[in-house]
Structure formats: structure tokens, C-alpha cells
């Protein structure tokens, strides 16, 4: 088929399928410069032409552009630089499967944007003026390096320069380089994610940012590597982009059709909407209703507020799960990442501070300048970042989280780059106790290897205990086995052609693990709520939260009482109440929302913020790792050490004497040993020899 024939075919195709879109483009031109064509329509129109596009895009794409530019329009406009962009290309290839056979073919790759350079003008047709005879020569710039004319085209001159480039007569386009990397969730275990460089031009430049998940359609090209020794036989792959499709949208970008909006509004009127949403979160995990309710509130989030003095109050709700191994913490985290329109999963053990926040790296894509590479919390902006095994992180990495959690920004001061990146994400963390299982008689801070300042930033901390209970264990076991049985039936039906399992049997068994609300609809429901619902708290609800807060604070009155809660917990109550109203798509936070919030927070505090010795609420158990009663005992113990030391030379107090005195004061030996060890760690005590201690 000749090129002229292709032009004609494209003209017929565009007029037949996209006439309205072309008229719209003509009205918007030159602000809008491209027409998006669905590849399947081209296939229906002319299968041979569609196949040719995939095999020989370098010849076919210019024909498509030419056909669009030459179409006769009813209005007086010429689409002289318009482009045809093809979406939904079937030839989708994983980045790691790209081979030499794909060179010069039209392909699609999916992944996450890792780096993006600035948008800069790129010269495509350079105008050179001969400095001797002032003749102007045009040189198209198609190679990787800049090409200058060899000699003046004017026959009477014919000299080899010098030439001056004329900027006003040269033709430039906006250009940008991207690096796309395989999505982390699609990786096989133990493999490093591979990446591909992408060239984008004109109206595709500047529309994506690091962290976006996209499909890029384009022509796979290559250019030769150059080393110090000269040109290398190895070639680098570059994708010449033709179209960019967003795969995973933020809450703000999810497209909701008018029909879906009607369904969403109907759902919000359902009196059982809370139960349905709770049952739609990780249905394969039995029970944990309170935890799932808190996770639902985290999805909807409170309202972020910008105050007149320029400060910002976060709306995102941070949560931490602490608990015994095997209580499905990681399962819940992974499910939430799937449910959130933008979710990133990281494991604390393997994540460095730059992997979580951001790193400054030398840019090989541009001209060797330093650029920022986004980490997990930046990539989860406007979504949820799930960090498993937070207790295993290095201490310098934990400190990187402080600012990200409260101010929701990440400040970078590296390699001469001073920048502040946004990380407006809700953090969902999981941690295991130091000694394998959770000890309910010891404060939470001693059992988790995390600084108290970081712990206090979580709005809710759930302790998930694995306590044997015959009735509950039976129900869990049945649920797990039913889930497995449903999976077994489904897999056998798929994999074995002679299987006698019917679809009906599969559906019946699957019923217990099918979420009440389909995950796609749930996502849209959450997005609609976050976009359109901004609740205001009723006075009655405000009074209820204040009373709850004050009742807890009252426990801290008096000289010897512990401080039960701080103002941070009050802010958490407000956020949770707003999220509860958003679940119903209500613009008013009612008394019911306030009560639901206080119920969750109270049950949370009962697990976490209780002094194991006295049973009283004590925020210091979380905030400093030492409860009020423990601090009082440490004072008593210090006094005992001082008195015993004064009776011995050099102030050395024998430990056995200390334990004997302590037991008279009501401090048993185990507690005294623990406290002496703690005081030695903090530098209050010295151990001059094996069986005595001395105050510093």
C-alpha cells in the first residue's frame, strides 16, 4: 500500500469516526493540538492499516498526521501542526521484556514515572546564516547531537562558514525526558525494577509528575552509547512517546459518570452504609470490625484546613497496628493500598530514608545536574502510604518521618538543592513487638522499637492481640477454610479443562469473601466524598468531643496523677468525626459521628494508653515510654541508692542492699532490676564494679 493511499484511507477514517472531535479540535486549536484516536476503531475500519501502524509506525504515523492536517474544514482554520495520538494500543509489553525485535515498532508500556526533567525547548529545524554572504540555510535536527551545515549553500560563496544560528527563524518544540519504571506491585520477588527512558514533545510535555502511574504508547527507538574509547556496539532504548494514558488517578482525578453519581448518592442514603463499607474492607480477613471501621475513616479522611495565619492543619488520619505475628496486619495494609486510588507499599526494614522521602541524585538523563527522585511518601501524595515493619527501620530513617507526618511536607537540603516536596498522605504503619509477642503488662513504648515522638503523631494505635478463645477461633478457622475452598474450586475450574466444578458452585462459595461494595465503586464513592463533602461540626457534637477530652484530662488533675491525653488526641477526634460524616456524604458532623469517634478512640486508648501498674489512662505511656507511676518509682529508687551509697565509701551502693530497701518500699526485685537497667541506659547511674552502682 503506497503512502498516498494511506493518507486517503486516514482521511476517510477520520471523517467517518471522528468528525465531531475534529471540529472541536479546530475550535480549540492551537491551544489543543492533538486528536486522540481509539486503536480498536482503526482496526474495525481497516485491519491491514492497523497492522501496518504497529509494524511500521515511522512511515504510518506521519501519514496520519498529514491526513488530519489536510482535512477540509467548514471553518477558516488550518490544522498545520496537529497530531494524531493513538490510545488503547493492544501491543502492551512489560519493560523487562523489551528486546531488539521490538525496535521501530509501535508499542505500549505501563509503569510509574520515576523521574521527569524540566520542560525545555528543543530545536527541530535550525536556521543558520553565513557570516560572509548572509545566506540562510535550514538544517533539520533529527540526530542525538546538534548538526551544523558543512558549507554555505550559496553557489557564489561556497565557504565553510562561519555560521550564526538565527533563533527567531529556527523552529522549536517543547520537550521533556521521562523515566518510567515497572510498577512495584507487579515485580517478581527479588528482582530489581527496570526502567526505560521516554522522550515526550509538544503537548505531551509537562503533563505527568513523579509517582504517576501511566501507560505510554509510542515508537521504540535506539541510540548508540558512546564511551571514552569511542562508540560502543551497545545501543540504549528510548521510547518516542505518541500518547500518555493515566492508569491510577488520584481522588481528584477519578472520572465519575452521572449514572455512577446517582448510584453513589443512593448508597449514601442506606442506613447500613457503615456496615457495608466495613464488610468491603479485606473481606477475606475475619472479624477486626473496629480496626476496619477505623481504616474506612482513614480512607475518607478529615478535612484539611488552611488557616488565615498561613498554617495548615492536616486532615489525613495516621494509624499504627502493633501486634502479635499472624494477625493479618500486612494483609490489611496491602488491601488498603489496593483500595486507595494512590497507594504505595513499603517495608521499613528495606526502606532507607531517601527511599521513603526523597533523594538527590546525579541526573544522567539531562546534563549531569542534580535532580530529585521521589520516595514512597511523595509518590503516595493524596493517597495512602503503607509502611510495614516500621520498628525495623534505622533511627535516621524514622526521624525523616516526623515532618512528613505532621506538616505533610518533606524538606530536602542535599547537594545544593533546597526544596520542599508535598507528602499529603495518610500513613498506615505496622510494627511487631520487640520480643515477638505483645506483653499486656508492660507499656507499649518499651515493646516497640520506635521513638515516642513518632508514636505520639499517630491518631490511633491499635494493639492486635492473638488470644486463644475457643468460640472465636472456631469461627476464624471455618472462615479461612471456606475462603481456601472457594479459591480451590475457582482455580481448578480455570486450570483443568475436564473439571466438573460449575460456575454456580464457585459463586456460592465465593459469596463469603466478596465485598459488599465492588472495589471500583468503593474507590469512586471515596473519591466523590473527598471531592464534594466538606462537613461542619454541630455545636452538640463539638460539646460532646470537648466533654470527652476534658473527662480524660480530669484524670490527670492532682499532684500525683498522670496526664491522660494531649491536644493532639483532640485534633484526632475532630478528624475522625469529619471522616465519619463524609462516609454518609453529609455536610454536617452530627452527635452520632461524635459518639462513633469517641467509641473508637476510647477502645484504642484502653489497649494502649493505660499504665500497666495502676490501670489509669496515661498519655506518657505512649509519649515518653515511662508512665507516671514508673517515674515516681524511679524517684523513690534514686533516693534509696543515694541513702545506701552514703553509707559506703565512694558512694558505691551494693545492688543487693538496694533490692532489700526497695522491697520495703513496695518495689519488687524484677521492677527494680528493670529500672536500674533503664537508668544506666539513660546515663543516670554508673556501675563501677560488678555488684554495686553509683549515682552520677
Amino acid at each position: 500500500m503506497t503512502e498516498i493511499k494511506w493518507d486517503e484511507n486516514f482521511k476517510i477514517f477520520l471523517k467517518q469516526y471522528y468528525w465531531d472531535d475534529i471540529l472541536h479540535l479546530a475550535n480549540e486549536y492551537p491551544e489543543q493540538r492533538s486528536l486522540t484516536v481509539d486503536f480498536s476503531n482503526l482496526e474495525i475500519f481497516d485491519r491491514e492499516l492497523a497492522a501496518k501502524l504497529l509494524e511500521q509506525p515511522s512511515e504510518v504515523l506521519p501519514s496520519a498526521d498529514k491526513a488530519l492536517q489536510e482535512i477540509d474544514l467548514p471553518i477558516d482554520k488550518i490544522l498545520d501542526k496537529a497530531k494524531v495520538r493513538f490510545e488503547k494500543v493492544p501491543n502492551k509489553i512489560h519493560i523487562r521484556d523489551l528486546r531488539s525485535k521490538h525496535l521501530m515498532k509501535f508499542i505500549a508500556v505501563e509503569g510509574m514515572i520515576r523521574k521527569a526533567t524540566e520542560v525545555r525547548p528543543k530545536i527541530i529545524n535550525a536556521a543558520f546564516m553565513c557570516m560572509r554572504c548572509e545566506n540562510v540555510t535550514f538544517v533539520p535536527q533529527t540526530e542525538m547531537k546538534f548538526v551544523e551545515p558543512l558549507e554555505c549553500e550559496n553557489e557564489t560563496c561556497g565557504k565553510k562558514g562561519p555560521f550564526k544560528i538565527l533563533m527567531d527563524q529556527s523552529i522549536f518544540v517543547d520537550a521533556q525526558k521521562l523515566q518510567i519504571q515497572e510498577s512495584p506491585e507487579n515485580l517478581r520477588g527479588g528482582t530489581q525494577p527496570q526502567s526505560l527512558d521516554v522522550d515526550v514533545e509538544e503537548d505531551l510535555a509537562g503533563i505527568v509528575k513523579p509517582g504517576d502511574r501511566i501507560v505510554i504508547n509510542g515508537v521504540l527507538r535506539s541510540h548508540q552509547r558512546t564511551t571514552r574509547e569511542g562508540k560502543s556496539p551497545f545501543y540504549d532504548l528510548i521510547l518516542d512517546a505518541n500518547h500518555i494514558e493515566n492508569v491510577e488517578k488520584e481522588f481528584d482525578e477519578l472520572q465519575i459518570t452521572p449514572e455512577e453519581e446517582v448510584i453513589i448518592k443512593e448508597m449514601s442514603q442506606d442506613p447500613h452504609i457503615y456496615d457495608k463499607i466495613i464488610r468491603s474492607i479485606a473481606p477475606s480477613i475475619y472479624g477486626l470490625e473496629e480496626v476496619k471501621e477505623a481504616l474506612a475513616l482513614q480512607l475518607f479522611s478529615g478535612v484539611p484546613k488552611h488557616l488565615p495565619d498561613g498554617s495548615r492543619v492536616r486532615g489525613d488520619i495516621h494509624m499504627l497496628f502493633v501486634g502479635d505475628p499472624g494477625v493479618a496486619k500486612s494483609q490489611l495494609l496491602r488491601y488498603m493500598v489496593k483500595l486507595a486510588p494512590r497507594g504505595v507499599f513499603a517495608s521499613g526494614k528495606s526502606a532507607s530514608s531517601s527511599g521513603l522521602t526523597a533523594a538527590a541524585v546525579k541526573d544522567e538523563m539531562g546534563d549531569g545536574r542534580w535532580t530529585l527522585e521521589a520516595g514512597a511518601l511523595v509518590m503516595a501524595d493524596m493517597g495512602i502510604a503503607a509502611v510495614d515493619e516500621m520498628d525495623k527501620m534505622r533511627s535516621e530513617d524514622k526521624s525523616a518521618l516526623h515532618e512528613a507526618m505532621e506538616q505533610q511536607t518533606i524538606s530536602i537540603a542535599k547537594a545544593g538543592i533546597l526544596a520542599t516536596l508535598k507528602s499529603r498522605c495518610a500513613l498506615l504503619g505496622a510494627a511487631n513487638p520487640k520480643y515477638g509477642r505483645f506483653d499486656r503488662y508492660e507499656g507499649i513504648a518499651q515493646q516497640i522499637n520506635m521513638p515516642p515522638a513518632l508514636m505520639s503523631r499517630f491518631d490511633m494505635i491499635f494493639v492486635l492481640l492473638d488470644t486463644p478463645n475457643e468460640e472465636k477461633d472456631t469461627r476464624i478457622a471455618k472462615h479461612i477454610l471456606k475462603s481456601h475452598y472457594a479459591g480451590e474450586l475457582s482455580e481448578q475450574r480455570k486450570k483443568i479443562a475436564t473439571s466438573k466444578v460449575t460456575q454456580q458452585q464457585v459463586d456460592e462459595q465465593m459469596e463469603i469473601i466478596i465485598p459488599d461494595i465492588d472495589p471500583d465503586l468503593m474507590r469512586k464513592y471515596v473519591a466523590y466524598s473527598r471531592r464534594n463533602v466538606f462537613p461542619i461540626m454541630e455545636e452538640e457534637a463539638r460539646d460532646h468531643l470537648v466533654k470527652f477530652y476534658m473527662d480524660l484530662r480530669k484524670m490527670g488533675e492532682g499532684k500525683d496523677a498522670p496526664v491522660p491525653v494531649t491536644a493532639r488526641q483532640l485534633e484526632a477526634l475532630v478528624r475522625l468525626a469529619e471522616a465519619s460524616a463524609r462516609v454518609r456524604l453529609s455536610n454536617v458532623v452530627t452527635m452520632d459521628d461524635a459518639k462513633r469517634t469517641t467509641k473508637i478512640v476510647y477502645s484504642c486508648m484502653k489497649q494502649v494508653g493505660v499504665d500497666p501498674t495502676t490501670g489509669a489512662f496515661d498519655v506518657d505511656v505512649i509519649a515518653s515510654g515511662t508512665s507516671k507511676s514508673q517515674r515516681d518509682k524511679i524517684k523513690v529508687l534514686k533516693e534509696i541508692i543515694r541513702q545506701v551509697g552514703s553509707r559506703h565509701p565512694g558512694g558505691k551502693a551494693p545492688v543487693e542492699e538496694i533490692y532489700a530497701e526497695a522491697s520495703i518500699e513496695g518495689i519488687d526485685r524484677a521492677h527494680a532490676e528493670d529500672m536500674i537497667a533503664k537508668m544506666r541506659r539513660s546515663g543516670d547511674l554508673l556501675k563501677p564494679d560488678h555488684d554495686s552502682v553509683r549515682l552520677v
Side-chain angles (χ1 to χ4, degrees), residues 63 92 101 236 255 393 427 433 441:
S63 296
K92 193 183 277 188
K101 65 181 180 186
D236 281 328
Q255 297 299 315
M393 287 161 65
L427 188 70
Y441 298 110

Side-chain angles (χ1 to χ4, degrees), residues 605-663:
M605 285 191 70
K606 248 189 357 220
Q607 295 174 322
V608 177
V610 173
D611 182 342
T613 322
T614 61
F617 276 121
D618 185 354
V619 76
D620 293 346
V621 175
I622 302 170
S624 65
T626 317
S627 65
K628 174 77 169 62
S629 63
Q630 262 182 320
R631 278 202 309 277
D632 292 345
K633 281 180 183 168
I634 284 176
K635 273 185 197 159
V636 172
L637 201 64
K638 265 189 177 171
E639 193 50 47
I640 289 170
I641 295 169
R642 187 175 287 111
Q643 284 173 4
V644 173
S646 66
R647 300 200 292 264
H648 292 272
K652 289 199 285 191
V655 272
E656 290 304 325
E657 273 188 53
I658 295 167
Y659 296 150
E661 295 267 343
S663 64

Side-chain angles (χ1 to χ4, degrees), residues 397-409:
D397 304 339
K398 287 176 192 162
S399 63
L401 290 174
H402 285 212
E403 182 196 0
M405 284 179 77
E406 204 56 53
Q407 280 73 41
Q408 297 203 299
T409 56

Side-chain angles (χ1 to χ4, degrees), residues 209-392:
K209 57 183 186 298
D212 287 347
R213 286 155 196 247
I214 57 171
V215 172
I216 303 185
N217 308 326
V219 185
L220 191 66
R221 304 188 191 279
S222 63
H223 72 85
Q224 196 165 18
R225 286 185 195 175
T226 47
T227 59
R228 271 191 227 133
E229 287 78 43
K231 289 187 175 178
S232 158
F234 284 95
Y235 278 71
D236 281 328
L237 293 176
I238 283 201
L239 188 68
D240 194 353
N242 171 266
H243 184 257
I244 295 176
E245 295 171 49
N246 263 20
V247 182
E248 193 164 36
K249 310 283 176 72
E250 294 178 12
F251 287 113
D252 294 348
E253 293 171 6
L254 269 177
Q255 297 299 315
I256 298 171
T257 62
E259 298 81 50
E260 285 168 336
E261 200 171 317
V262 172
I263 295 169
I264 286 168
K265 284 180 176 165
E266 276 174 14
M267 280 165 60
S268 70
Q269 301 304 315
D270 185 343
H272 303 296
I273 183 69
Y274 286 98
D275 298 334
K276 282 190 172 172
I277 284 176
I278 290 167
R279 285 202 297 273
S280 302
I281 293 175
S284 57
I285 297 166
Y286 180 81
L288 301 180
E289 274 77 15
E290 263 181 2
V291 174
K292 289 181 183 178
E293 187 171 353
L295 286 172
L297 295 182
Q298 186 185 37
L299 263 182
F300 285 88
S301 112
V303 180
K305 301 166 193 77
H306 296 274
L307 304 180
D309 65 351
S311 58
R312 177 181 182 273
V313 180
R314 71 177 160 95
D316 291 307
I317 296 162
H318 300 317
M319 277 171 59
L320 177 67
F321 295 151
V322 181
D324 301 335
V327 287
K329 297 189 295 293
S330 302
Q331 288 266 84
L332 284 168
L333 261 63
R334 285 189 182 277
Y335 198 88
M336 289 299 283
V337 165
K338 274 205 314 224
L339 211 51
R342 180 178 270 201
V344 171
F345 184 89
S347 176
K349 179 109 170 105
S350 55
S352 62
S353 55
S354 54
L356 282 175
T357 53
V361 290
K362 261 275 176 52
D363 181 20
E364 308 93 46
M365 294 159 54
D367 44 13
R369 281 183 298 181
W370 287 90
T371 56
L372 280 183
E373 208 170 78
L377 293 181
V378 180
M379 288 191 171
D381 187 32
M382 304 299 283
I384 286 180
V387 183
D388 202 359
E389 304 200 10
M390 283 190 78
D391 52 315
K392 312 276 191 314

Side-chain angles (χ1 to χ4, degrees), residues 138-265:
F138 284 91
V139 181
Q141 302 291 330
T142 53
E143 296 301 312
M144 290 302 289
K145 59 176 187 288
F146 189 63
V147 181
E148 297 194 30
L150 294 171
E151 57 182 31
C152 180
E153 286 181 351
N154 187 355
E155 289 168 9
T156 57
C157 176
K159 295 282 190 294
K160 292 187 177 179
F163 296 100
K164 179 188 175 189
I165 187 162
L166 301 174
M167 302 299 278
D168 54 342
Q169 291 184 38
S170 301
I171 299 169
F172 289 87
V173 291
D174 291 327
Q176 184 185 26
K177 280 184 188 294
L178 308 174
Q179 194 178 62
I180 184 171
Q181 177 187 298
E182 292 174 286
S183 294
E185 55 270 20
N186 301 337
L187 286 182
R188 295 195 292 274
T191 51
Q192 185 181 344
Q194 297 195 3
S195 53
L196 175 69
D197 288 352
V198 183
D199 276 345
V200 291
E201 288 180 3
E202 298 191 40
D203 53 347
L204 293 182
I207 61 172
V208 294
K209 57 183 186 298
D212 287 347
R213 286 155 196 247
I214 57 171
V215 172
I216 303 185
N217 308 326
V219 185
L220 191 66
R221 304 188 191 279
S222 63
H223 72 85
Q224 196 165 18
R225 286 185 195 175
T226 47
T227 59
R228 271 191 227 133
E229 287 78 43
K231 289 187 175 178
S232 158
F234 284 95
Y235 278 71
D236 281 328
L237 293 176
I238 283 201
L239 188 68
D240 194 353
N242 171 266
H243 184 257
I244 295 176
E245 295 171 49
N246 263 20
V247 182
E248 193 164 36
K249 310 283 176 72
E250 294 178 12
F251 287 113
D252 294 348
E253 293 171 6
L254 269 177
Q255 297 299 315
I256 298 171
T257 62
E259 298 81 50
E260 285 168 336
E261 200 171 317
V262 172
I263 295 169
I264 286 168
K265 284 180 176 165

Side-chain angles (χ1 to χ4, degrees), residues 437-451:
R437 278 188 173 270
F438 195 81
D439 179 2
R440 60 179 67 196
Y441 298 110
E442 197 176 336
I444 188 169
Q446 286 94 348
Q447 301 190 55
I448 301 171
N449 190 13
M450 278 169 77

